[in-house]
Amino acid sequence: MSTSITGHSVTDDLPGPDGRSPHDGDRAGTGRLGDRLFGGAATGSGLVVVALVTLVGLFLVMQAVPSLLNNNANFLTSTEWVPSGSEPRFGIAALLWATVVTSVIAMVIAVPLGVAVALFITQYAPAWLAKPAATTVDLLAAVPSIVYGFWGLTIAGQFIDPVTGFLQRTLGWIPFFGDAGFSGRSTLFFAGMILAIMILPIITAISREVFAQVPVAHKEGALALGATQWEMIRTAVLPFGKPGVISGAMLGLGRALGETLAVMILLSTLNPTASWSWSVFNGGETFASKIALNAGEFDSPQKTGAYIAAGLVLFILTFLVNAVARIVIERRKAFSE
Amino acid sequence: MAKRIDVKDLDIYYGDFKAVEGVSMTVEPRSVTAFIGPSGCGKSTVLRTLNRMHEVIPGGRVDGKVMLDDQDLYAPSMDPVAVRRTVGMVFQRPNPFPTMSIKDNVAAGLRLNGIKDKKRLDETVEKSLRGANLWSEVKDRLDKPGAGLSGGQQQRLCIARAIAVNPQVLLMDEPCSALDPISTLAIEDLINELKSQYTIVIVTHNMQQAARVSDQTAFFNLKATGQPGRLVEVGSTQKIFSNPEQQATEDYISGRFG
């Protein structure tokens, strides 16, 4: 059941009916020409993937390291970004902040909403409505990201200023919600909202799939104890679907962290001399939007290396997110079989 | 604690389809009543109307009356959720909640009733597990998943879960059909003990089982293929198995059909 971006699923570890892991090869090879040809081709393809990942990683590290050695600022904590010249100073702190903040806002909105939509489709909606509702949500996934960015900028953005204004007035005393002087549609906050819409379909689709698989016996078990529908969902449906919801959320987070075009169109880049602000109503650049915006200017290995180093951090970040999700899922595994 | 069940002229429908017709019977408190009959004759359906679980299936509804002492289970003011808290149910396949520990499974119904006091929960969990003859087998691993127990233990866990909320009536829908003979024996012994406290109704395909555990037996059958199921005969188990009034009952009991 667990679809996972690490390509590893809970079922991979379960022994088959004969006690073997599903990944153990059998000894069915006959040594005939067909077997050897196909076996060789399959093994070769497997090796190519491994080689490809290793080479890409090596290439990135080799390009990044010389730039990092020339760096005169702390790469992890500095908010400066002057990657070229005789005294390059660059750090990823601002990029990391913008990337994490937009993604966290997207998750905070999209995960509860996606789970709620999935519950509606699988538990509440009458049969004639469930299918069209599911298809509509899936259609959201078919909209290209450039369209989301453009739609956010020209249409949805018109309506966001009152919302941001309200939040700034009522919650402005918290540094996160202070007014940073940007129009509503070019802030991290609004970019996060657009990202939420973009990751909603994947979270909904995967949650819907696991919720639909909850055995009737478990649901009836809860109902027979005198559970209301909502209590039944809490006792039987949500715990059963939890690994799936986490997988869906992580897939969504992966997309939000790496989303480029929509974020690039929306966010106002900051003036290099601007002072640091914690506000979500600030502009900024994420890893992906920064790299995309400057891709035309990679004129020296030093500069290119700096951007590649930033890309590596994004890669590591996504990897860590996946690893944490796997640990969360694995920890409850004994309880989910 | 135990209450009397009075069923009067009960018709059960799924949508326009009439599944069961004209059931009238009485179940005495602190007794075991067995429902027997061929597959598809509506005995499980009748059982599910006793705690309104048939309403979970779209289109499920009834005509007629089911009284629990002087309470009409189908009165408009009656909340099905409240009915199910009074009338517990054990299913054909053991269905402990897979994400919960043994302890949490037993406590699930209490938590639904809003009981949070840890001491009270622990006491009730122990009492219910003892009541289900499971305590000695699981007392050292209460925090382990309930799904890790054997099938028979899981079914006794489900019985513990059902009796933890102090129901008036316990319904069992073929509780042993997925179990081996040893586990079946354990459940039957348990039913014999439980009947001193609860009114028990059990659906079974196993006629020896009906003969062993029940005081009263009800035989259900289809009128004809495609026709609704109906109650053919109900009476003391001894009478039904030795000297039934209806020919159909005798044919079924003696193994001539079904």
Side-chain angles (χ1 to χ4, degrees), chain A residues 217 220 223 226 239 332 335, chain B residues 48 81 84-85 95 98-100:
Chain A
E220 292 198 334
L223 289 172
R332 296 291 294 181
F335 283 88
Chain B
R48 289 168 69 98
V81 168
R84 293 177 200 141
R85 289 189 183 184
N95 59 350
T99 52
M100 290 186 192

Side-chain angles (χ1 to χ4, degrees), chain A:
Chain A
M1 153 198 57
S2 345
T3 345
S4 137
I5 10 176
T6 53
H8 180 95
S9 122
V10 174
T11 50
D12 290 352
D13 299 330
L14 298 175
D18 52 1
R20 294 183 312 179
S21 153
H23 285 308
D24 280 353
D26 49 32
R27 296 280 164 271
T30 57
R32 291 190 196 176
L33 182 63
D35 265 355
R36 276 184 294 154
L37 273 182
F38 188 76
T43 311
S45 313
L47 291 178
V48 164
V49 173
V50 175
L52 212 60
V53 171
T54 316
L55 286 177
V56 167
L58 262 178
F59 168 82
L60 289 178
V61 171
M62 277 165 55
Q63 298 266 308
V65 166
S67 291
L68 288 174
L69 290 176
N70 278 335
N71 191 1
N72 290 309
N74 186 322
F75 179 65
L76 292 178
T77 57
S78 169
T79 59
E80 294 172 86
W81 193 266
V82 190
S84 54
S86 56
E87 285 233 329
R89 300 179 60 83
F90 57 91
I92 51 149
L95 300 178
L96 184 66
W97 170 251
T99 307
V100 170
V101 164
T102 47
S103 297
V104 165
I105 292 172
M107 295 289 282
V108 166
I109 299 171
V111 171
L113 194 60
V115 170
V117 172
L119 283 177
F120 168 73
I121 292 172
T122 56
Q123 312 292 324
Y124 289 96
W128 60 266
L129 185 59
K131 260 232 157 89
T135 313
T136 311
V137 177
D138 286 348
L139 267 180
L140 280 179
V143 179
S145 64
I146 183 79
V147 175
Y148 277 114
F150 197 64
W151 173 77
L153 193 67
T154 55
I155 313 226
Q158 298 168 356
F159 306 102
I160 193 67
D161 276 326
V163 179
T164 54
F166 173 77
L167 285 171
Q168 283 167 8
R169 276 194 307 278
T170 50
L171 296 171
W173 49 277
I174 308 172
F176 289 138
F177 296 102
D179 185 357
F182 285 90
S183 87
R185 72 186 77 177
S186 55
T187 61
L188 299 173
F189 178 75
F190 186 59
M193 287 179 70
I194 296 297
L195 283 178
I197 303 175
M198 297 173 72
I199 65 176
L200 186 66
I202 185 77
I203 296 176
T204 308
I206 293 184
S207 306
R208 175 164 55 88
E209 227 153 84
V210 286
F211 291 161
Q213 282 170 4
V214 179
V216 175
H218 297 161
K219 297 206 274 182
E220 292 198 334
L223 289 172
L225 282 175
T228 60
Q229 186 169 23
W230 165 233
E231 286 168 337
M232 179 273 284
I233 287 171
R234 252 180 15 202
T235 330
V237 178
L238 289 179
F240 184 90
K242 192 169 142 195
V245 172
I246 294 174
S247 295
M250 290 305 126
L251 279 172
L253 182 55
R255 178 161 186 201
L257 288 171
E259 174 51 37
T260 311
L261 269 176
V263 175
M264 193 175 96
I265 289 182
L266 290 171
L267 282 183
S268 289
T269 55
L270 294 174
N271 188 326
T273 58
S275 60
W276 174 254
S277 160
W278 290 105
S279 176
V280 297
F281 299 118
N282 205 351
E285 284 167 295
T286 66
F287 285 113
S289 75
K290 177 96 182 170
I291 294 169
L293 208 56
N294 294 282
E297 299 167 29
F298 293 170
D299 47 14
S300 68
Q302 165 63 39
K303 204 168 171 182
T304 314
Y307 284 97
I308 286 178
L312 262 181
V313 176
L314 176 60
F315 170 69
I316 294 168
L317 186 65
T318 319
F319 183 81
L320 283 181
V321 163
N322 289 350
V324 169
R326 280 229 63 79
I327 292 168
V328 173
I329 296 169
E330 291 291 315
R331 219 181 31 167
R332 296 291 294 181
K333 205 172 89 177
F335 283 88
S336 59
E337 282 158 13

